[in-house]
Short mmCIF file of all heavy atoms in Angstrom, two decimals:
data_model
loop_
_atom_site.label_atom_id
_atom_site.label_comp_id
_atom_site.label_asym_id
_atom_site.label_seq_id
_atom_site.Cartn_x
_atom_site.Cartn_y
_atom_site.Cartn_z
N MET X 1 3.44 35.14 24.88
CA MET X 1 2.93 33.89 24.38
C MET X 1 2.58 34.02 22.96
O MET X 1 2.01 34.96 22.48
CB MET X 1 1.67 33.48 25.17
CG MET X 1 1.94 32.85 26.47
SD MET X 1 0.43 32.43 27.38
CE MET X 1 0.07 30.84 26.62
N GLN X 2 2.89 32.97 22.18
CA GLN X 2 2.53 32.92 20.84
C GLN X 2 1.08 32.30 20.65
O GLN X 2 0.66 31.44 21.46
CB GLN X 2 3.48 32.08 20.03
CG GLN X 2 4.83 32.68 19.92
CD GLN X 2 5.83 31.81 19.08
OE1 GLN X 2 5.41 30.77 18.67
NE2 GLN X 2 6.99 32.30 18.93
N PRO X 3 0.34 32.76 19.66
CA PRO X 3 -1.01 32.26 19.46
C PRO X 3 -0.93 30.79 19.02
O PRO X 3 0.02 30.37 18.30
CB PRO X 3 -1.59 33.13 18.35
CG PRO X 3 -0.40 33.81 17.70
CD PRO X 3 0.69 33.81 18.77
N ILE X 4 -1.87 30.07 19.40
CA ILE X 4 -1.95 28.64 19.08
C ILE X 4 -2.46 28.58 17.61
O ILE X 4 -3.49 29.20 17.21
CB ILE X 4 -2.89 27.91 19.98
CG1 ILE X 4 -2.37 27.87 21.34
CG2 ILE X 4 -3.10 26.46 19.49
CD1 ILE X 4 -3.30 27.25 22.40
N ARG X 5 -1.63 27.87 16.77
CA ARG X 5 -2.09 27.73 15.38
C ARG X 5 -3.02 26.57 15.31
O ARG X 5 -2.88 25.52 15.88
CB ARG X 5 -0.85 27.47 14.47
CG ARG X 5 0.08 28.61 14.33
CD ARG X 5 1.13 28.19 13.38
NE ARG X 5 2.08 29.32 13.35
CZ ARG X 5 3.23 29.30 12.70
NH1 ARG X 5 3.61 28.19 12.15
NH2 ARG X 5 4.11 30.28 12.67
N GLU X 6 -4.09 26.72 14.45
CA GLU X 6 -4.95 25.59 14.26
C GLU X 6 -4.32 24.71 13.19
O GLU X 6 -3.75 25.14 12.15
CB GLU X 6 -6.32 26.11 13.73
CG GLU X 6 -7.11 26.86 14.83
CD GLU X 6 -8.47 27.24 14.29
OE1 GLU X 6 -9.04 26.48 13.55
OE2 GLU X 6 -8.98 28.26 14.79
N ALA X 7 -4.44 23.44 13.46
CA ALA X 7 -3.93 22.44 12.46
C ALA X 7 -4.84 22.46 11.24
O ALA X 7 -6.03 22.56 11.33
CB ALA X 7 -3.96 21.05 13.09
N LYS X 8 -4.18 22.43 10.07
CA LYS X 8 -5.02 22.38 8.85
C LYS X 8 -5.57 21.03 8.76
O LYS X 8 -4.90 20.03 8.78
CB LYS X 8 -4.09 22.71 7.61
CG LYS X 8 -3.71 24.13 7.46
CD LYS X 8 -3.01 24.36 6.17
CE LYS X 8 -2.69 25.77 5.96
NZ LYS X 8 -1.99 26.01 4.62
N GLN X 9 -6.83 21.03 8.35
CA GLN X 9 -7.50 19.75 8.27
C GLN X 9 -7.38 19.31 6.77
O GLN X 9 -7.78 20.12 5.87
CB GLN X 9 -8.99 19.87 8.62
CG GLN X 9 -9.74 18.51 8.61
CD GLN X 9 -11.10 18.64 9.16
OE1 GLN X 9 -11.50 19.72 9.61
NE2 GLN X 9 -11.78 17.53 9.17
N GLN X 10 -6.84 18.17 6.52
CA GLN X 10 -6.66 17.76 5.16
C GLN X 10 -7.88 16.99 4.70
O GLN X 10 -8.54 16.30 5.48
CB GLN X 10 -5.44 16.87 5.08
CG GLN X 10 -4.17 17.60 5.24
CD GLN X 10 -2.97 16.67 4.98
OE1 GLN X 10 -3.07 15.59 4.55
NE2 GLN X 10 -1.78 17.23 5.16
N GLU X 11 -8.24 17.26 3.44
CA GLU X 11 -9.38 16.61 2.88
C GLU X 11 -9.06 15.03 2.62
O GLU X 11 -7.95 14.81 2.12
CB GLU X 11 -9.82 17.27 1.63
CG GLU X 11 -11.09 16.78 0.98
CD GLU X 11 -11.46 17.52 -0.28
OE1 GLU X 11 -11.22 18.76 -0.30
OE2 GLU X 11 -11.94 16.86 -1.14
N TYR X 12 -9.98 14.20 3.04
CA TYR X 12 -9.76 12.82 2.79
C TYR X 12 -9.98 12.48 1.41
O TYR X 12 -10.95 12.87 0.72
CB TYR X 12 -10.73 11.98 3.64
CG TYR X 12 -10.69 10.52 3.38
CD1 TYR X 12 -9.60 9.75 3.86
CD2 TYR X 12 -11.65 9.83 2.64
CE1 TYR X 12 -9.50 8.37 3.60
CE2 TYR X 12 -11.61 8.48 2.34
CZ TYR X 12 -10.50 7.78 2.79
OH TYR X 12 -10.40 6.39 2.60
N VAL X 13 -8.96 11.83 0.78
CA VAL X 13 -9.09 11.33 -0.52
C VAL X 13 -9.07 9.76 -0.61
O VAL X 13 -8.12 9.15 -0.09
CB VAL X 13 -7.96 11.84 -1.45
CG1 VAL X 13 -7.99 11.29 -2.87
CG2 VAL X 13 -7.88 13.34 -1.41
N LYS X 14 -10.16 9.18 -1.06
CA LYS X 14 -10.25 7.68 -1.05
C LYS X 14 -9.28 7.11 -2.00
O LYS X 14 -9.16 7.55 -3.15
CB LYS X 14 -11.69 7.30 -1.53
CG LYS X 14 -11.89 5.81 -1.40
CD LYS X 14 -13.32 5.47 -1.76
CE LYS X 14 -13.48 4.00 -1.71
NZ LYS X 14 -14.87 3.63 -2.14
N PRO X 15 -8.38 6.20 -1.51
CA PRO X 15 -7.32 5.65 -2.42
C PRO X 15 -8.04 4.79 -3.50
O PRO X 15 -9.05 4.19 -3.34
CB PRO X 15 -6.59 4.76 -1.46
CG PRO X 15 -7.30 4.65 -0.20
CD PRO X 15 -8.33 5.68 -0.19
N THR X 16 -7.36 4.81 -4.67
CA THR X 16 -7.93 4.06 -5.78
C THR X 16 -7.51 2.55 -5.64
O THR X 16 -6.57 2.26 -4.92
CB THR X 16 -7.38 4.49 -7.12
OG1 THR X 16 -5.92 4.32 -7.12
CG2 THR X 16 -7.77 6.03 -7.37
N ARG X 17 -8.20 1.73 -6.36
CA ARG X 17 -7.82 0.32 -6.27
C ARG X 17 -6.37 0.09 -6.79
O ARG X 17 -5.63 -0.71 -6.19
CB ARG X 17 -8.81 -0.45 -7.15
CG ARG X 17 -8.50 -2.03 -7.07
CD ARG X 17 -9.58 -2.82 -7.76
NE ARG X 17 -9.98 -2.25 -9.05
CZ ARG X 17 -11.09 -2.58 -9.70
NH1 ARG X 17 -11.83 -3.44 -9.24
NH2 ARG X 17 -11.42 -1.94 -10.85
N GLU X 18 -5.99 0.87 -7.79
CA GLU X 18 -4.60 0.70 -8.38
C GLU X 18 -3.61 1.18 -7.31
O GLU X 18 -2.59 0.51 -7.16
CB GLU X 18 -4.52 1.58 -9.60
CG GLU X 18 -5.27 1.01 -10.79
CD GLU X 18 -6.73 1.39 -10.81
OE1 GLU X 18 -7.22 2.30 -9.96
OE2 GLU X 18 -7.53 0.79 -11.56
N SER X 19 -3.85 2.22 -6.62
CA SER X 19 -2.90 2.71 -5.59
C SER X 19 -2.76 1.68 -4.46
O SER X 19 -1.68 1.43 -3.95
CB SER X 19 -3.26 4.08 -5.09
OG SER X 19 -4.39 4.05 -4.32
N LEU X 20 -3.91 1.15 -4.12
CA LEU X 20 -3.85 0.08 -2.98
C LEU X 20 -3.07 -1.07 -3.52
O LEU X 20 -2.30 -1.74 -2.67
CB LEU X 20 -5.24 -0.28 -2.59
CG LEU X 20 -6.03 0.70 -1.88
CD1 LEU X 20 -7.50 0.36 -1.70
CD2 LEU X 20 -5.46 1.13 -0.53
N TYR X 21 -3.30 -1.49 -4.70
CA TYR X 21 -2.51 -2.69 -5.23
C TYR X 21 -1.07 -2.43 -5.31
O TYR X 21 -0.28 -3.22 -4.84
CB TYR X 21 -3.05 -2.96 -6.70
CG TYR X 21 -2.32 -3.99 -7.41
CD1 TYR X 21 -2.60 -5.43 -7.16
CD2 TYR X 21 -1.32 -3.82 -8.35
CE1 TYR X 21 -1.98 -6.40 -7.80
CE2 TYR X 21 -0.66 -4.77 -8.97
CZ TYR X 21 -0.92 -6.11 -8.70
OH TYR X 21 -0.25 -7.07 -9.40
N ARG X 22 -0.72 -1.22 -5.82
CA ARG X 22 0.79 -0.91 -5.85
C ARG X 22 1.36 -0.92 -4.44
O ARG X 22 2.52 -1.36 -4.28
CB ARG X 22 0.93 0.48 -6.48
CG ARG X 22 0.83 0.48 -8.04
CD ARG X 22 1.29 1.74 -8.65
NE ARG X 22 0.75 2.91 -8.10
CZ ARG X 22 -0.39 3.54 -8.47
NH1 ARG X 22 -1.06 3.06 -9.53
NH2 ARG X 22 -0.85 4.59 -7.86
N ARG X 23 0.63 -0.35 -3.54
CA ARG X 23 1.18 -0.25 -2.17
C ARG X 23 1.40 -1.73 -1.54
O ARG X 23 2.40 -2.00 -1.00
CB ARG X 23 0.27 0.55 -1.26
CG ARG X 23 0.90 0.89 0.12
CD ARG X 23 0.09 1.88 0.85
NE ARG X 23 -1.15 1.34 1.25
CZ ARG X 23 -2.12 2.09 1.84
NH1 ARG X 23 -2.03 3.37 1.88
NH2 ARG X 23 -3.20 1.49 2.21
N GLN X 24 0.36 -2.56 -1.77
CA GLN X 24 0.50 -3.94 -1.32
C GLN X 24 1.60 -4.74 -1.96
O GLN X 24 2.40 -5.49 -1.41
CB GLN X 24 -0.83 -4.69 -1.53
CG GLN X 24 -1.94 -4.19 -0.62
CD GLN X 24 -1.61 -4.40 0.90
OE1 GLN X 24 -1.12 -5.50 1.26
NE2 GLN X 24 -1.78 -3.40 1.71
N LYS X 25 1.83 -4.43 -3.33
CA LYS X 25 2.87 -5.13 -4.10
C LYS X 25 4.24 -4.64 -3.50
O LYS X 25 5.11 -5.50 -3.42
CB LYS X 25 2.70 -4.73 -5.53
CG LYS X 25 3.72 -5.48 -6.41
CD LYS X 25 3.54 -5.19 -7.86
CE LYS X 25 4.61 -5.83 -8.68
NZ LYS X 25 4.74 -5.33 -9.95
N GLU X 26 4.32 -3.37 -3.21
CA GLU X 26 5.53 -2.86 -2.66
C GLU X 26 5.91 -3.49 -1.31
O GLU X 26 7.03 -3.73 -1.06
CB GLU X 26 5.56 -1.35 -2.61
CG GLU X 26 5.53 -0.59 -3.85
CD GLU X 26 5.30 0.83 -3.72
OE1 GLU X 26 5.10 1.43 -2.60
OE2 GLU X 26 5.18 1.60 -4.77
N ILE X 27 4.91 -3.67 -0.49
CA ILE X 27 5.06 -4.30 0.75
C ILE X 27 5.61 -5.77 0.54
O ILE X 27 6.47 -6.19 1.19
CB ILE X 27 3.83 -4.28 1.64
CG1 ILE X 27 3.49 -2.87 2.06
CG2 ILE X 27 3.93 -5.23 2.79
CD1 ILE X 27 2.15 -2.66 2.64
N LEU X 28 4.99 -6.52 -0.41
CA LEU X 28 5.48 -7.83 -0.66
C LEU X 28 6.90 -7.90 -1.22
O LEU X 28 7.68 -8.74 -0.74
CB LEU X 28 4.61 -8.51 -1.71
CG LEU X 28 3.18 -8.93 -1.25
CD1 LEU X 28 2.36 -9.42 -2.45
CD2 LEU X 28 3.30 -10.02 -0.17
N GLU X 29 7.22 -6.86 -2.10
CA GLU X 29 8.60 -6.75 -2.58
C GLU X 29 9.63 -6.42 -1.39
O GLU X 29 10.71 -7.00 -1.39
CB GLU X 29 8.73 -5.68 -3.61
CG GLU X 29 7.98 -6.08 -4.86
CD GLU X 29 7.75 -4.96 -5.86
OE1 GLU X 29 7.95 -3.76 -5.42
OE2 GLU X 29 7.53 -5.23 -7.00
N THR X 30 9.18 -5.63 -0.44
CA THR X 30 9.93 -5.35 0.70
C THR X 30 10.22 -6.53 1.53
O THR X 30 11.39 -6.86 1.97
CB THR X 30 9.37 -4.26 1.58
OG1 THR X 30 9.23 -3.06 0.81
CG2 THR X 30 10.17 -3.99 2.82
N PHE X 31 9.15 -7.45 1.86
CA PHE X 31 9.31 -8.61 2.46
C PHE X 31 10.31 -9.51 1.85
O PHE X 31 11.14 -10.18 2.45
CB PHE X 31 7.96 -9.33 2.69
CG PHE X 31 7.04 -8.70 3.58
CD1 PHE X 31 5.68 -9.00 3.59
CD2 PHE X 31 7.40 -7.75 4.53
CE1 PHE X 31 4.82 -8.53 4.54
CE2 PHE X 31 6.50 -7.12 5.46
CZ PHE X 31 5.15 -7.52 5.47
N LEU X 32 10.18 -9.61 0.49
CA LEU X 32 11.03 -10.45 -0.34
C LEU X 32 12.52 -10.11 -0.17
O LEU X 32 13.41 -10.85 0.01
CB LEU X 32 10.60 -10.54 -1.76
CG LEU X 32 11.41 -11.38 -2.71
CD1 LEU X 32 11.35 -12.82 -2.25
CD2 LEU X 32 10.93 -11.18 -4.14
N SER X 33 12.75 -8.75 -0.36
CA SER X 33 14.05 -8.22 -0.32
C SER X 33 14.78 -8.40 1.01
O SER X 33 15.97 -8.47 1.10
CB SER X 33 14.18 -6.80 -0.74
OG SER X 33 13.51 -5.98 0.24
N HIS X 34 13.97 -8.43 2.16
CA HIS X 34 14.53 -8.59 3.48
C HIS X 34 14.58 -10.09 3.92
O HIS X 34 14.93 -10.37 5.01
CB HIS X 34 13.74 -7.79 4.50
CG HIS X 34 14.04 -6.29 4.35
ND1 HIS X 34 13.31 -5.47 3.50
CD2 HIS X 34 14.97 -5.52 5.04
CE1 HIS X 34 13.82 -4.27 3.64
NE2 HIS X 34 14.79 -4.28 4.49
N GLY X 35 14.20 -11.00 2.99
CA GLY X 35 14.16 -12.41 3.34
C GLY X 35 13.15 -12.89 4.30
O GLY X 35 13.16 -13.95 4.78
N ALA X 36 12.08 -12.04 4.42
CA ALA X 36 10.92 -12.41 5.28
C ALA X 36 10.04 -13.44 4.61
O ALA X 36 9.34 -14.22 5.33
CB ALA X 36 10.11 -11.22 5.69
N ILE X 37 10.04 -13.41 3.36
CA ILE X 37 9.26 -14.45 2.60
C ILE X 37 10.19 -15.01 1.40
O ILE X 37 11.08 -14.37 0.96
CB ILE X 37 7.87 -13.92 2.04
CG1 ILE X 37 8.21 -12.74 1.02
CG2 ILE X 37 6.92 -13.53 3.10
CD1 ILE X 37 6.87 -12.18 0.29
N SER X 38 9.81 -16.23 0.94
CA SER X 38 10.52 -16.81 -0.13
C SER X 38 10.02 -16.30 -1.47
O SER X 38 9.04 -15.69 -1.54
CB SER X 38 10.51 -18.32 -0.12
OG SER X 38 9.13 -18.69 -0.38
N GLU X 39 10.84 -16.55 -2.54
CA GLU X 39 10.35 -16.23 -3.87
C GLU X 39 8.97 -16.88 -4.19
O GLU X 39 8.16 -16.25 -4.79
CB GLU X 39 11.40 -16.61 -4.90
CG GLU X 39 11.03 -16.23 -6.29
CD GLU X 39 10.96 -14.73 -6.60
OE1 GLU X 39 11.68 -14.02 -6.08
OE2 GLU X 39 10.14 -14.39 -7.51
N ALA X 40 8.88 -18.10 -3.80
CA ALA X 40 7.63 -18.81 -3.99
C ALA X 40 6.41 -18.25 -3.28
O ALA X 40 5.33 -18.07 -3.88
CB ALA X 40 7.73 -20.31 -3.64
N GLN X 41 6.72 -17.79 -2.01
CA GLN X 41 5.66 -17.16 -1.35
C GLN X 41 5.26 -15.81 -1.99
O GLN X 41 4.15 -15.41 -1.99
CB GLN X 41 6.08 -16.95 0.18
CG GLN X 41 6.11 -18.15 0.94
CD GLN X 41 6.86 -17.89 2.30
OE1 GLN X 41 7.89 -17.29 2.41
NE2 GLN X 41 6.26 -18.47 3.36
N PHE X 42 6.27 -15.09 -2.39
CA PHE X 42 6.04 -13.89 -3.11
C PHE X 42 5.22 -14.02 -4.30
O PHE X 42 4.20 -13.33 -4.50
CB PHE X 42 7.43 -13.11 -3.44
CG PHE X 42 7.25 -11.90 -4.33
CD1 PHE X 42 6.90 -10.76 -3.79
CD2 PHE X 42 7.43 -12.01 -5.63
CE1 PHE X 42 6.77 -9.63 -4.60
CE2 PHE X 42 7.31 -10.93 -6.50
CZ PHE X 42 6.92 -9.71 -5.96
N GLN X 43 5.54 -14.99 -5.13
CA GLN X 43 4.83 -15.22 -6.33
C GLN X 43 3.41 -15.57 -6.07
O GLN X 43 2.40 -15.13 -6.68
CB GLN X 43 5.49 -16.32 -7.18
CG GLN X 43 6.80 -15.88 -7.75
CD GLN X 43 6.77 -14.66 -8.81
OE1 GLN X 43 5.72 -14.49 -9.43
NE2 GLN X 43 7.75 -13.91 -8.78
N GLN X 44 3.15 -16.47 -5.03
CA GLN X 44 1.76 -16.89 -4.66
C GLN X 44 1.02 -15.72 -4.16
O GLN X 44 -0.17 -15.50 -4.55
CB GLN X 44 1.84 -17.96 -3.73
CG GLN X 44 0.48 -18.54 -3.26
CD GLN X 44 -0.30 -19.17 -4.42
OE1 GLN X 44 0.31 -20.01 -5.15
NE2 GLN X 44 -1.53 -18.81 -4.66
N SER X 45 1.60 -14.92 -3.29
CA SER X 45 0.87 -13.77 -2.69
C SER X 45 0.56 -12.80 -3.77
O SER X 45 -0.50 -12.20 -3.76
CB SER X 45 1.68 -13.14 -1.60
OG SER X 45 1.81 -14.04 -0.51
N LEU X 46 1.54 -12.50 -4.63
CA LEU X 46 1.23 -11.52 -5.74
C LEU X 46 0.16 -12.03 -6.61
O LEU X 46 -0.77 -11.21 -7.07
CB LEU X 46 2.51 -11.29 -6.50
CG LEU X 46 2.38 -10.21 -7.59
CD1 LEU X 46 1.97 -8.88 -6.93
CD2 LEU X 46 3.73 -10.09 -8.32
N ARG X 47 0.10 -13.25 -6.98
CA ARG X 47 -0.87 -13.85 -7.77
C ARG X 47 -2.33 -13.74 -7.09
O ARG X 47 -3.22 -13.28 -7.73
CB ARG X 47 -0.62 -15.41 -8.06
CG ARG X 47 -1.49 -15.98 -9.10
CD ARG X 47 -1.04 -17.45 -9.40
NE ARG X 47 0.38 -17.57 -9.61
CZ ARG X 47 1.29 -18.26 -8.76
NH1 ARG X 47 0.79 -18.96 -7.73
NH2 ARG X 47 2.42 -18.38 -9.06
N ASP X 48 -2.29 -14.08 -5.82
CA ASP X 48 -3.58 -13.97 -5.06
C ASP X 48 -4.08 -12.51 -5.00
O ASP X 48 -5.24 -12.25 -5.29
CB ASP X 48 -3.42 -14.48 -3.68
CG ASP X 48 -3.24 -16.04 -3.61
OD1 ASP X 48 -3.50 -16.67 -4.59
OD2 ASP X 48 -2.72 -16.52 -2.55
N LEU X 49 -3.14 -11.61 -4.71
CA LEU X 49 -3.44 -10.21 -4.66
C LEU X 49 -4.06 -9.73 -6.00
O LEU X 49 -5.05 -8.95 -6.01
CB LEU X 49 -2.25 -9.38 -4.25
CG LEU X 49 -2.37 -7.83 -4.30
CD1 LEU X 49 -3.31 -7.34 -3.11
CD2 LEU X 49 -0.98 -7.24 -4.13
N THR X 50 -3.38 -10.04 -7.01
CA THR X 50 -3.78 -9.69 -8.42
C THR X 50 -5.18 -10.15 -8.68
O THR X 50 -6.10 -9.39 -9.22
CB THR X 50 -2.77 -10.16 -9.48
OG1 THR X 50 -1.49 -9.68 -9.08
CG2 THR X 50 -3.15 -9.69 -10.84
N LEU X 51 -5.44 -11.42 -8.43
CA LEU X 51 -6.78 -11.97 -8.64
C LEU X 51 -7.84 -11.32 -7.74
O LEU X 51 -8.94 -11.00 -8.28
CB LEU X 51 -6.78 -13.52 -8.42
CG LEU X 51 -6.00 -14.30 -9.44
CD1 LEU X 51 -5.94 -15.77 -8.98
CD2 LEU X 51 -6.69 -14.26 -10.81
N LYS X 52 -7.59 -11.15 -6.54
CA LYS X 52 -8.58 -10.68 -5.65
C LYS X 52 -8.93 -9.18 -5.93
O LYS X 52 -10.04 -8.73 -5.74
CB LYS X 52 -8.09 -10.73 -4.17
CG LYS X 52 -8.14 -12.14 -3.70
CD LYS X 52 -7.75 -12.31 -2.22
CE LYS X 52 -7.79 -13.71 -1.80
NZ LYS X 52 -7.27 -13.86 -0.40
N MET X 53 -7.88 -8.39 -6.46
CA MET X 53 -8.21 -7.00 -6.70
C MET X 53 -8.59 -6.71 -8.13
O MET X 53 -8.87 -5.72 -8.56
CB MET X 53 -6.90 -6.22 -6.28
CG MET X 53 -6.60 -6.22 -4.84
SD MET X 53 -5.65 -4.97 -4.24
CE MET X 53 -6.64 -3.50 -4.42
N GLY X 54 -8.63 -7.81 -8.90
CA GLY X 54 -9.15 -7.76 -10.31
C GLY X 54 -8.20 -6.94 -11.19
O GLY X 54 -8.62 -6.17 -12.05
N MET X 55 -6.91 -7.15 -10.91
CA MET X 55 -5.91 -6.35 -11.76
C MET X 55 -5.39 -7.21 -12.82
O MET X 55 -5.43 -8.37 -12.94
CB MET X 55 -4.72 -5.96 -10.84
CG MET X 55 -5.13 -5.19 -9.59
SD MET X 55 -6.09 -3.72 -9.87
CE MET X 55 -4.81 -2.62 -10.31
#
């Protein structure tokens, strides 16, 4: 029998506002590229995201 390896516990790093904004923007771009939302919906959502996150 092989010894059980302990899983390394990774230290939690709080995401920055900028990284959260970029991730949400990428999700919106993915929705747009797959036709899940229209260009108008994308622009409105991006505008709202930008305002709410203070970017």
Side-chain angles (χ1 to χ4, degrees):
M1 280 182 82
Q2 294 183 356
I4 298 174
R5 292 184 184 172
E6 290 187 31
K8 285 188 176 181
Q9 187 175 358
Q10 293 185 3
E11 186 176 322
Y12 175 74
V13 177
K14 184 177 179 181
T16 64
R17 183 174 40 196
E18 291 80 12
S19 68
L20 291 172
Y21 176 81
R22 282 193 309 270
R23 191 166 71 191
Q24 290 297 314
K25 184 179 176 195
E26 288 172 3
I27 291 170
L28 287 173
E29 290 168 343
T30 300
F31 288 166
L32 179 63
S33 70
H34 286 87
I37 60 175
S38 68
E39 180 68 31
Q41 289 171 314
F42 171 78
Q43 291 298 330
Q44 181 64 49
S45 295
L46 184 58
R47 190 176 314 116
D48 292 344
L49 177 67
T50 302
L51 289 173
K52 287 181 182 178
M53 296 203 65
M55 304 306 276

